[in-house]
Amino acid sequence: MGAARLAELVAATTDWPEGWLSRLPRSAATALRLWLDHPARSPIAPTVEAGMAWLDAAPARHLLHSGHPAWPALLEQIADPPPLLWALGDLAALQPPALAIVGSRRPTREGLANAAAFGRELAVRDWCVVSGLALGVDGATQQAAIDAGGRSVAVLGCGADVIYPPRHARLYHQLLDRGGLILAEHPPGTRARPGFFPRRNRIVTGLSLGVLVVEAAEKSGSLVSARLAMEQNREVFALPGSIHNPQARGCLQLIRQGAVLVRHVDDILQELTHWAASPALATPAPTPSAGDGGDPLLRWLSDAPSPLDALVSLTGLAVPECQRRLLELELEGRAAQAPGGWVRLPDDIRA
């Protein structure tokens, strides 16, 4: 079953195991029932045992799911979140605000330099860089981020214990040694396959507040990531380039479609400051004003959309309570839902 089918099953099921057994396809239900009654005879036993053995074999190995305290809240906003993530490394890498940086596997020299510069500068500003550990832009960005003492999360299209591409073995180990995190939707030992990478990209963008495309041809996986980010209501940024550079045409296309043209890191942070509370950001958090009416939620809203998970983090409210207060503010004409989150309505509109 795919992630979307599993998400529907989780949402519809309240009791274990009978609720699951009644809703699973026959073959899956039979395998699960056999595992519950006679584990060694079930066809899923080797997979379960191998996964548990991997988790227990060494520290810093984790199995993340929606109920796990380290599960990224941003993933709950996407249409098909992974049912679980195998994690290797430091879970603290999931705490800072994150930006995905993607681009060509065959970038120009300028593209590599730009990728490294943005990765380094984001790390200095206490942002986490999320990418796929791929050759080219991905690797240059993540190498620069960890060299600058920052955090980086790599999402793989294989098992978390499989180094892919092999040429990035050194980067893989450096990332783990310097407080980074490796994530994978597939169980340990799973080899990389072409079909896994487009699915992997939805996790890269889903973990992030936005995605920066450094260089991309007109038809590339980076544009797939940008499309996914748009569908997930994430901000999309693109570096401009020469019209004569084939690796810049994808970025120019994105800018024509509404992506934010980026010249330096401050262009990104100005767009995303309202999405994340970070002391490294230049813009201070808003303070209550006379027009806030004592509502602690309204103070965090502006004319730039703020996503629900960011508001939950900033206010400390539970998700249901935050949703209830947002609805009240909307009924009062003080806030409204917009693409990408919630906005505060100006006084003249409310009047």
Side-chain angles (χ1 to χ4, degrees):
M1 292 182 292
R5 176 73 182 277
L6 279 171
E8 292 176 1
L9 185 61
V10 170
T13 302
T14 57
D15 56 326
W16 169 266
E18 296 303 327
W20 283 73
L21 290 167
S22 66
R23 292 178 173 87
L24 283 171
R26 179 176 298 179
S27 60
T30 300
L32 177 58
R33 171 58 75 187
L34 192 57
W35 183 78
L36 292 169
D37 296 338
H38 306 283
R41 294 167 51 190
S42 173
I44 68 174
T47 301
V48 174
E49 291 170 0
M52 295 302 295
W54 183 83
L55 289 169
D56 295 337
R61 298 183 179 190
H62 316 274
L63 185 60
L64 306 182
H65 50 85
S66 183
H68 193 284
W71 182 257
L74 281 171
L75 286 179
E76 297 300 324
Q77 296 184 359
I78 69 176
D80 52 349
L84 53 82
L85 286 170
W86 300 87
L88 177 61
D90 192 345
L91 294 178
L94 295 171
Q95 295 175 1
L99 184 82
I101 301 184
V102 299
S104 173
R105 285 173 170 77
R106 295 179 293 276
T108 64
R109 183 178 301 177
E110 181 182 19
L112 281 175
N114 287 335
F118 275 86
R120 182 167 50 250
E121 190 62 27
L122 284 166
V124 170
R125 306 290 187 94
D126 291 335
W127 279 65
C128 177
V129 172
V130 181
S131 200
L133 208 74
L135 299 175
V137 165
D138 290 25
T141 297
Q142 296 188 280
Q143 184 72 65
I146 61 175
D147 285 348
R151 302 272 193 175
S152 186
V153 173
V155 186
L156 305 186
C158 52
D161 60 337
V162 177
I163 301 176
Y164 188 87
R167 284 169 54 185
H168 273 171
R170 181 170 177 269
L171 174 57
Y172 177 98
H173 291 295
Q174 283 183 335
L175 188 147
L176 292 176
D177 291 341
R178 300 180 188 180
L181 185 67
I182 304 290
L183 294 176
E185 187 175 14
H186 305 284
T190 303
R191 313 307 299 180
R193 298 178 185 175
F196 290 165
F197 293 98
R199 297 286 298 163
R200 178 272 307 270
N201 292 345
R202 85 189 194 286
I203 303 175
V204 171
T205 55
L207 288 167
S208 310
L209 298 175
V211 57
L212 170 64
V213 182
V214 175
E215 277 190 346
E218 287 183 291
K219 295 182 179 180
S220 70
S222 299
L223 297 190
V224 173
S225 295
R227 176 181 58 78
L228 289 169
M230 293 176 184
E231 293 174 355
Q232 295 167 351
N233 288 324
R234 306 297 196 258
E235 197 70 66
V236 177
F237 305 92
L239 282 178
S242 169
I243 60 173
H244 304 294
N245 176 12
Q247 298 290 14
R249 291 173 186 166
C251 291
L252 295 176
Q253 176 182 326
L254 288 174
I255 293 170
R256 287 190 62 194
Q257 294 172 348
V260 178
L261 186 151
V262 170
R263 301 160 298 170
H264 43 69
V265 166
D266 286 341
D267 291 335
I268 297 174
L269 299 188
Q270 287 172 7
E271 294 288 333
L272 297 181
T273 295
H274 62 284
W275 283 48
S278 171
L281 299 182
T283 304
T287 56
S289 66
D292 287 348
D295 192 309
L297 182 59
L298 193 60
R299 62 174 293 198
W300 296 109
L301 296 178
S302 67
D303 58 356
S306 297
L308 177 63
D309 73 289
L311 294 172
V312 168
S313 176
L314 291 168
T315 61
L317 297 171
V319 173
E321 176 65 12
C322 190
Q323 292 174 321
R324 184 184 67 79
R325 295 195 185 189
L326 286 169
L327 179 59
E328 290 176 350
L329 291 173
E330 185 176 30
L331 293 174
E332 293 171 3
R334 310 179 77 186
Q337 195 165 12
W342 287 81
V343 297
R344 179 172 178 167
L345 297 179
D347 292 339
D348 58 331
I349 293 180
R350 297 203 306 267

